[in-house]
Amino acid sequence: MVKKRRLLIRTVILVILLAAVGYTLYANFTKDEGQKVAIGEKAPDFELVDLNGETHRLSDYEGQGVFLNFWGTYCKPCEKEMPYMEEQYQQFKDKGVQVLAVNVGESEFAVKKFAERHQLTFPIVIDSENDVQSAYGINPLPITFLIDKDGTVIKSFTGSLTSEKVEQFMKEIQP
């Protein structure tokens, strides 16, 4: 009697564990699939405020190429690519290509200190509510989206960028 009861309890626990593992796998493989940005589609519009208090809407940049970069101050690959983005921003900002760096919800203080330390002049906005990250399906960092003059996503790149890659990407979205 005791052995049967023990076997029943073990079986129930095993079934519950298998169900939990199955659900976790299912949830991870299907999460945010409807929200991810697809190449060739219109980039989801958003409105965020930069470190100077100015509002930036993605749709305001139509007619220009947009180098849309998602990053965090704690992200070493993000930090490594920032000087390259700044250098190419200076080269392309008067040629119809804009950089818009979206910080992933850190404090304004931390982001300002980071921008000052790296002497960044391109617009940096903070997605404090994580709405833009969700709309773009951001994970992991850094990730960059190239958006053409019509507002269409033409490419995305996950990982740290080199100076050459940033320049190549900016040429691709130059109107």
Side-chain angles (χ1 to χ4, degrees):
M1 182 74 171
V2 173
K3 286 185 178 184
K4 282 186 178 182
R5 190 177 198 180
R6 193 177 310 153
L7 179 63
L8 178 64
I9 291 172
R10 287 180 180 168
T11 304
V12 168
I13 291 171
L14 183 61
V15 168
I16 291 171
L17 284 173
L18 287 174
V21 168
Y23 174 76
T24 301
L25 289 173
Y26 170 78
N28 280 329
F29 286 118
T30 60
K31 73 174 182 179
D32 295 333
E33 280 187 9
Q35 296 180 4
K36 290 204 170 123
V37 175
I39 305 305
E41 289 187 3
K42 191 95 167 155
D45 198 13
F46 60 85
E47 180 179 306
L48 294 172
V49 177
D50 71 14
L51 299 176
N52 299 321
E54 295 178 35
T55 300
H56 293 264
R57 281 179 206 81
L58 184 62
S59 56
D60 290 344
Y61 292 98
E62 281 205 22
Q64 302 178 69
V66 177
F67 185 95
L68 181 63
N69 180 267
F70 290 85
W71 67 285
T73 61
Y74 54 85
C75 166
K76 288 301 175 193
C78 301
E79 185 171 8
K80 184 179 176 188
E81 69 188 8
M82 288 294 169
Y84 308 139
M85 289 169 47
E86 178 63 31
E87 175 188 344
Q88 296 305 322
Y89 172 68
Q90 294 303 324
Q91 299 297 315
F92 283 88
K93 68 181 179 179
D94 296 327
K95 297 177 182 176
V97 176
Q98 295 298 317
V99 170
L100 194 54
V102 180
N103 177 271
V104 293
E106 296 180 88
S107 75
E108 186 175 332
F109 178 79
V111 175
K112 269 187 179 178
K113 289 295 179 197
F114 182 93
E116 288 168 5
R117 187 168 70 247
H118 294 283
Q119 300 176 349
L120 304 176
T121 62
F122 49 78
I124 297 174
V125 295
I126 300 174
D127 184 18
S128 55
E129 302 297 319
N130 300 330
D131 295 335
V132 180
Q133 294 170 68
S134 294
Y136 280 78
I138 303 306
N139 188 25
L141 296 176
I143 184 167
T144 301
F145 292 90
L146 303 182
I147 302 169
D148 70 10
K149 63 181 176 56
D150 301 318
T152 302
V153 178
I154 62 165
K155 186 180 281 184
S156 72
F157 182 85
T158 303
S160 186
L161 296 165
T162 62
S163 181
E164 295 78 20
K165 196 64 121 171
V166 174
E167 181 180 13
Q168 173 195 335
F169 285 169
M170 293 211 178
K171 286 179 179 176
E172 286 182 41
I173 57 175
Q174 185 176 356

